[in-house]
Amino acid sequence: MDAAPRTTLDLRLADACRVEHYGLSVLQAIANNAALPWDVRERADLHHVETEAQLGRLARALETLDPALRARLAGSIEPSARLMAIPDWVRLERREIAAYMDLMPYARHAHLEGLARDCASALDLQRSVLHWLESLDASAPGTAPSALRTPA
């Protein structure tokens, strides 16, 4: 593989790892936001586990391809300084989708079919979660519409 596509692959992989690291923080904050309906918090908690698994696969691929870059990305996840709400989660899912869409062609070009399959699977999951989030109706019975919006 040429140096330019390989470097781009490493950078796209690192970007996806950073997005997933950030996602863990957002999802934890949503799961802890008592103002949100229990089903939203419960789904955020489940998606946190799914995101940890996705991050693990990305981190293993990055470790294999560029251990030095993996070491520079290592670090703890800082909890969010503010309460997160549904719009924050929607933005996160869109960022994750973009990261995986950017990464997939480079994984395929490098003949990393396992990574490409992992990306396709993660992309399906992110799209499914985004669809669910976008279908939430803030006026549905049992929800507090103000809790679904980002605080001012």
Side-chain angles (χ1 to χ4, degrees):
M1 180 173 202
D2 293 335
R6 173 55 194 271
T7 299
T8 304
L9 170 64
D10 291 350
L11 293 173
R12 295 290 184 242
L13 193 50
D15 287 346
C17 283
R18 277 192 289 276
V19 168
E20 295 296 17
H21 268 288
Y22 173 72
L24 291 175
S25 175
V26 170
L27 292 167
Q28 188 64 55
I30 288 172
N32 292 337
N33 184 349
L36 292 173
W38 70 267
D39 59 330
V40 171
R41 290 179 291 147
E42 188 173 273
R43 183 63 181 106
D45 194 44
L46 173 62
H47 195 50
H48 188 277
V49 172
E50 295 163 341
T51 301
E52 286 177 328
Q54 291 168 343
L55 180 57
R57 287 189 291 275
L58 291 172
R60 282 189 298 281
L62 189 57
E63 179 70 34
T64 301
L65 295 172
D66 191 342
L69 186 56
R70 169 73 172 104
R72 287 196 310 252
L73 287 175
S76 63
I77 300 166
E78 294 296 322
S80 175
R82 68 175 180 85
L83 287 178
M84 296 286 181
I86 300 300
D88 300 300
W89 194 355
V90 167
R91 281 190 293 278
L92 169 65
E93 294 306 319
R94 289 182 179 148
R95 285 180 64 189
E96 287 173 320
I97 289 168
Y100 284 110
M101 289 181 70
D102 287 347
L103 175 58
M104 281 179 56
Y106 292 96
R108 287 191 178 119
H109 182 74
H111 305 290
L112 299 171
E113 296 307 318
L115 178 59
R117 277 191 306 275
D118 287 345
C119 289
S121 177
L123 192 56
D124 288 344
L125 176 63
Q126 304 318 124
R127 286 177 173 154
S128 172
V129 171
L130 180 60
H131 178 73
W132 176 76
L133 287 167
E134 290 175 337
S135 72
L136 291 177
D137 181 7
S139 64
T143 62
S146 61
L148 299 177
R149 291 190 293 269
T150 303

